[in-house]
């Protein structure tokens, strides 16, 4: 398999972090890149600049210390507004613009953006052409397999994307109507890969190196995009990267390594959001990190009560020290 090339960027790997609003903030992206993600798009930004002045939106546009290329995802249904948003984000440092036509979130779909656009192929063409023309950097696209199961027009959309100058395509194996229900299907992704020459990434329900390998072999895609399975398991990137490169999958990190990863992640969250918000946001990550570990529920409940950074770090250290000493007993 040759390396994935997106415009001038030849990527080091073939496993991408999926954009997830409320999850893929700067600290999480930096962590996933360190763990082997070849690319990590930021949380979706509305194309409407009137919404850019909130503190949340300012933070979403912060890319300090992030590995290159820096990817900004935009969503919107108006070609001119999308073109302007792309240009302004490139001026602010974006090196790749990703367009979201894959997210069924109500907030987005009600405004005829995200995956709602997939039913209107003419509008899709206008948005893609306008954005590609305006951005002086590569533009990528994220879609679902279609609007609904009887209008699975992913192949047509992919052809439109390639003809419009889109440089890579990520496909979530569900239709817009499926939301998050059922299992992702990969047949349409295989058909899309056959139909276009640009790099295609498979996305949806890939949660292990074995599954990633199966999906790549079944679809012929160039790489995979991982969302929920990276929550609390950011080392999944190096595992999948290894299996796709034909290497042995690295061993599951020992509790001591997991503890160090979590503590570094928490410190980064405190630095990025300030301590109060950082401690609050860290709670959901701690929950994910401990999800399948011994005594997870009791630990989660106790750590929810802690509201200082030192207390939170100490609780994590104590929990993992107990696991390290007697994992069987703790279970
Ligand atoms: C909490 C959450 C937020 C998401 N936000 C976005 C988003 O901002 N932009 C986008 O294109 N997709 C978004 N998605 C969809 C994911 O990028 C991905 O397509 C989906 O989760 C399927 O991949 P997975 O099974 O690996 O999680 C979001 C998904 C989740 C769970």
């Amino acid at each position: 398999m040759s390396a994935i090339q997106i415009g001038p960027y030849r990527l080091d790997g073939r496993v991408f972090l999926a954009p997830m609003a409320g999850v893929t903030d700067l600290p999480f992206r930096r962590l996933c890149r360190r763990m082997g993600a070849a690319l990590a798009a930021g949380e979706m930004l509305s194309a409407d600049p009137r919404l850019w002045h909130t503190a949340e939106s300012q933070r979403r546009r912060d890319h300090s210390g992030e590995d290159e290329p820096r990817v900004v995802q935009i969503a919107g249904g108006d070609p001119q507004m999308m073109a302007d948003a792309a240009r302004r984000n490139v001026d602010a440092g974006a090196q790749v613009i990703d367009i979201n036509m894959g997210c069924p979130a109500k907030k987005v779909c009600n405004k005829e953006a995200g995956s709602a656009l997939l039913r209107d192929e003419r509008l899709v063409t206008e948005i893609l052409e306008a954005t590609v023309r305006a951005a002086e950097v590569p533009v990528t696209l994220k879609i679902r397999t279609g609007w609904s199961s009887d209008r699975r027009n992913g192949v047509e959309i992919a052809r439109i994307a390639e003809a419009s100058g889109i440089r890579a395509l990520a496909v979530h194996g569900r239709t817009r109507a499926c939301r998050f229900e059922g299992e992702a299907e990969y047949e349409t992704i295989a058909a899309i890969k056959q139909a276009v020459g640009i790099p295609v990434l498979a996305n949806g329900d890939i949660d292990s190196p074995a599954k990633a390998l199966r999906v790549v072999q079944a679809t012929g895609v160039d790489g995979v995009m991982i969302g929920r399975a990276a929550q609390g398991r950011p080392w999944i990137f190096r595992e999948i990267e290894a299996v796709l490169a034909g290497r042995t999958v690295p061993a599951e990190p020992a509790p001591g390594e997991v503890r160090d990863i979590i503590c570094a992640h928490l410190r980064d969250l405190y630095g990025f959001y300030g301590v109060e918000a950082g401690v609050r946001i860290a709670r959901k990550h701690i929950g994910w990190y401990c999800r399948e570990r011994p005594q997870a529920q009791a630990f989660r409940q106790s750590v929810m009560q802690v509201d200082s950074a030192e207390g939170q770090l100490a609780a994590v250290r104590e929990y993992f020290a107990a696991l390290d000493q007697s994992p069987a007993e703790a279970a």
Side-chain angles (χ1 to χ4, degrees):
M1 281 170 114
S2 52
I4 298 179
Q5 184 89 29
I6 298 184
Y9 301 106
R10 190 182 166 82
L11 304 184
D12 278 342
R14 48 191 73 253
V15 191
F16 292 16
L17 172 65
M20 289 180 285
V23 181
T24 55
D25 54 14
L26 184 59
F28 193 65
R29 295 198 302 277
R30 285 197 287 232
L31 171 59
C32 291
R33 292 296 301 263
R34 274 202 307 282
M35 292 281 149
L39 212 64
E43 301 169 86
M44 169 180 72
L45 260 183
S46 162
D48 186 345
R50 286 171 302 186
L51 305 175
W52 292 358
H53 301 293
T54 62
E56 185 189 330
S57 175
Q58 300 277 345
R59 262 197 307 268
R60 285 186 176 199
R61 302 178 73 212
D62 183 350
H63 296 274
S64 7
E66 191 170 4
D67 284 353
E68 299 190 353
R70 296 180 291 268
V71 189
V72 172
Q73 188 188 60
I74 57 175
D78 178 74
Q80 197 49 52
M81 210 179 245
M82 287 289 276
D84 289 343
R87 204 178 296 114
R88 289 172 69 162
N89 278 291
V90 170
D91 288 346
Q95 294 168 311
V96 173
I97 295 289
D98 184 52
I99 297 179
N100 177 1
M101 291 188 190
C103 187
K106 227 181 182 158
K107 196 160 108 182
V108 178
C109 276
N110 279 351
K111 289 191 210 138
E112 289 298 308
S115 53
L117 288 170
L118 294 176
R119 70 180 155 188
D120 187 343
E121 291 172 12
R122 219 192 56 195
L123 183 56
V124 168
T125 312
E126 285 173 19
I127 289 173
L128 300 186
E129 286 181 350
T131 310
V132 168
R133 222 177 9 249
E136 280 159 16
V137 302
V139 180
T140 58
L141 175 66
K142 181 159 177 284
I143 60 171
R144 289 191 166 220
T145 50
W147 165 254
S148 62
S149 41
D150 56 351
R151 284 233 38 213
R152 228 183 273 272
N153 59 340
V155 170
E156 285 74 49
I157 298 283
R159 289 205 175 103
I160 291 170
E162 183 170 39
S164 306
I166 292 295
R167 301 301 192 93
L169 185 65
V171 188
H172 179 184
R174 288 187 173 85
T175 64
R176 185 251 166 212
C178 299
R179 297 185 168 266
F180 274 93
E181 287 152 21
E183 280 275 294
E185 58 92 9
Y186 306 105
E187 291 79 21
T188 312
I189 300 182
I192 288 172
K193 171 61 196 167
Q194 284 290 314
V196 294
I198 53 177
V200 175
L201 291 118
N203 169 241
D205 297 349
I206 300 173
D207 57 2
S208 67
K211 175 112 187 229
L213 189 61
R214 273 204 308 281
V215 171
V216 168
Q217 286 170 343
T219 58
V221 288
D222 303 274
V224 294
M225 180 179 261
I226 308 297
R228 289 162 298 168
Q231 295 170 349
R233 275 196 116 261
W235 47 90
I236 194 169
F237 294 100
R238 67 186 183 201
E239 296 176 350
I240 297 181
E241 204 53 72
V243 82
L244 296 186
R247 297 193 307 268
T248 310
V249 177
E252 185 74 12
E257 190 192 347
V258 175
R259 175 204 58 211
D260 292 348
I261 292 169
I262 301 176
C263 290
H265 185 184
L266 300 193
R267 283 194 207 93
D268 207 9
L269 288 169
Y270 309 145
F272 186 63
Y273 289 103
V275 170
E276 196 183 329
V279 165
R280 203 176 54 242
I281 290 162
R283 289 180 186 142
K284 71 176 174 227
H285 289 282
I286 296 174
W288 287 327
Y289 280 114
C290 299
R291 191 160 44 186
E292 283 158 22
R293 294 178 195 278
Q295 313 281 5
Q297 210 186 340
F299 173 59
R300 232 186 3 244
Q301 271 167 9
S302 75
V303 88
M304 291 299 156
Q305 320 293 323
V306 178
D307 53 14
S308 73
E310 297 73 30
Q312 205 171 43
L313 288 165
V316 168
R317 278 192 221 102
E318 267 168 44
Y319 174 72
F320 279 92
L323 292 190
D324 231 359
Q325 277 161 20
S326 69
E329 200 182 300

